[in-house]
Amino acid sequence: PVKVVITPSDGASTVTFGDITVNSVEGTITIDGIYTTITDEDGNNIFSNSNMTEWPFFKPGKNPISVTGASKVEVTYYPIYL
């Protein structure tokens, strides 16, 4: 699972991370694949503002990341071994 913290620096109200778009963004958002939540900086659930159909994850090897708009992005990966 992957945890992504995005802070738009251009005042954007829409943030796109890969195939996930979150609308009505005000400040920092967290997309947390471990706790399966999307929250704003106040901890409010903003999942309904997204188009997400699958939680973000990384596959072995290279995993390109794209973010639309000027943003500070912090990505944390939690390896799970089966």
Side-chain angles (χ1 to χ4, degrees), residues 56-74:
F57 63 92
F58 287 152
K59 296 179 182 179
K62 293 184 179 183
N63 290 272
I65 297 173
S66 66
V67 176
T68 302
S71 302
K72 175 184 173 190
V73 179
E74 178 183 329

Side-chain angles (χ1 to χ4, degrees), residues 11-56:
S13 63
T14 299
V15 172
T16 301
F17 175 80
D19 294 334
I20 302 167
T21 299
V22 182
N23 298 302
S24 302
V25 172
E26 293 182 16
T28 300
I29 65 165
T30 302
I31 302 170
D32 194 327
I34 290 181
Y35 294 106
T36 59
T37 59
I38 301 177
T39 55
D40 63 15
E41 60 191 10
D42 295 324
N44 298 312
N45 182 341
I46 58 170
F47 184 85
S48 63
N49 296 0
S50 76
N51 69 339
M52 186 166 18
T53 58
E54 182 176 49
W55 293 101

